[in-house]
Amino acid sequence: MKKIGLYFGTFNPIHIGHLAIANHMAEFSDLDEIWMVVTPHNPHKKKSSLLDNHHRFEMVYEATEPYPKLKPSDVEFKLPQPNYTVHTLMYLQEKYPNTQFHLIMGEDNLKSFHKWKNYEVILENHHIYVYPRIADGAIPKQFEGHPKIHKINAPIMEISSTFIRSAIAEGKNVQPLLPEVVWKYIDEMNFYK
């Protein structure tokens, strides 16, 4: 049975930190593939700086092309909004019954995971692969040493899309932080200026 890790993000834009983590998960865990799930507008984020779904998907598509184990996914574009991870997982599980879907999240998200809609249902049916982040606060006791929560010793990547967007707006060169195809796309489309 194929094991797929779902790495959710607005990817606004996708950068080398995202790719390094996704690739690390694909190579150094028991997951067969990582799907980069581009999330539509998140109600908790200000929409103004968020590029259209299709532009963000196009950048993820181009950035993941050289990596056969990394796949772009627009599954959430088709689901009713606001969308919850638990619904996406149920949808994928029905659509691909011979596949196991698992969640990839940063340690910072694990700290607030108990506030997610139906988080118990997610834990009951899926494993969670956690990559390290520098963040304050402790991981809730109920998740420490949980048999379905796996900490992956990935490199710590503290690059943020927010930083990249504001640097581009200030006319700074952040080319080394982006895959070349993404840098070209942003440049040609004049995004974030």
Side-chain angles (χ1 to χ4, degrees):
M1 195 178 263
K2 210 177 206 183
K3 283 177 131 175
I4 290 177
L6 301 173
Y7 185 176
F8 291 83
T10 47
F11 301 119
N12 186 35
I14 185 170
H15 53 64
I16 58 163
H18 296 132
L19 287 177
I21 288 165
N23 186 65
H24 192 92
M25 292 289 180
E27 297 295 336
F28 299 98
S29 75
D30 59 352
L31 297 166
D32 300 307
E33 275 179 13
I34 309 301
W35 289 8
M36 314 287 280
V37 183
V38 183
T39 56
H41 169 61
N42 168 347
H44 304 298
K45 293 195 177 179
K46 284 201 205 86
K47 194 163 186 182
S48 58
S49 63
L50 191 60
L51 294 183
D52 282 353
N53 292 345
H54 71 276
H55 287 306
R56 289 179 295 114
F57 179 79
E58 182 59 34
M59 290 191 284
V60 172
Y61 176 83
E62 291 189 20
T64 53
E65 223 171 1
Y67 307 95
K69 292 180 184 175
L70 308 184
K71 310 263 185 237
S73 170
D74 59 0
V75 59
E76 290 206 317
F77 295 1
K78 307 169 182 85
L79 297 175
Q81 297 296 323
N83 194 29
Y84 295 100
T85 305
V86 68
H87 297 156
T88 305
L89 287 164
M90 279 162 35
Y91 172 82
L92 286 170
Q93 212 56 82
E94 273 172 32
K95 197 171 172 189
Y96 305 97
N98 302 323
T99 304
Q100 282 181 347
F101 289 98
H102 303 303
L103 272 186
I104 292 172
M105 69 170 67
E107 216 170 308
D108 48 338
N109 283 324
L110 185 60
K111 289 172 185 171
S112 57
F113 181 56
H114 58 286
K115 296 180 185 152
W116 287 29
K117 184 180 171 76
N118 303 118
Y119 81 91
E120 309 92 339
V121 177
I122 295 176
L123 259 185
E124 212 172 289
N125 300 301
H126 308 275
H127 287 256
I128 296 179
Y129 291 73
V130 180
Y131 58 87
R133 292 298 295 262
I134 299 167
D136 297 330
I139 288 167
K141 284 270 179 283
Q142 75 219 64
F143 302 143
E144 279 292 356
H146 192 288
K148 285 198 164 171
I149 297 177
H150 315 279
K151 282 190 170 174
I152 305 294
N153 191 11
I156 294 182
M157 289 297 202
E158 293 294 322
I159 302 170
S160 83
S161 297
T162 311
F163 169 78
I164 289 171
R165 290 194 304 274
S166 59
I168 291 172
E170 288 167 27
K172 306 281 188 213
N173 183 352
V174 287
Q175 204 168 344
L177 301 180
L178 297 161
E180 197 178 340
V181 286
V182 172
W183 170 257
K184 281 187 176 148
Y185 192 83
I186 290 171
D187 199 42
E188 278 165 20
M189 303 295 279
N190 233 344
F191 287 147
Y192 309 124
K193 296 267 166 68

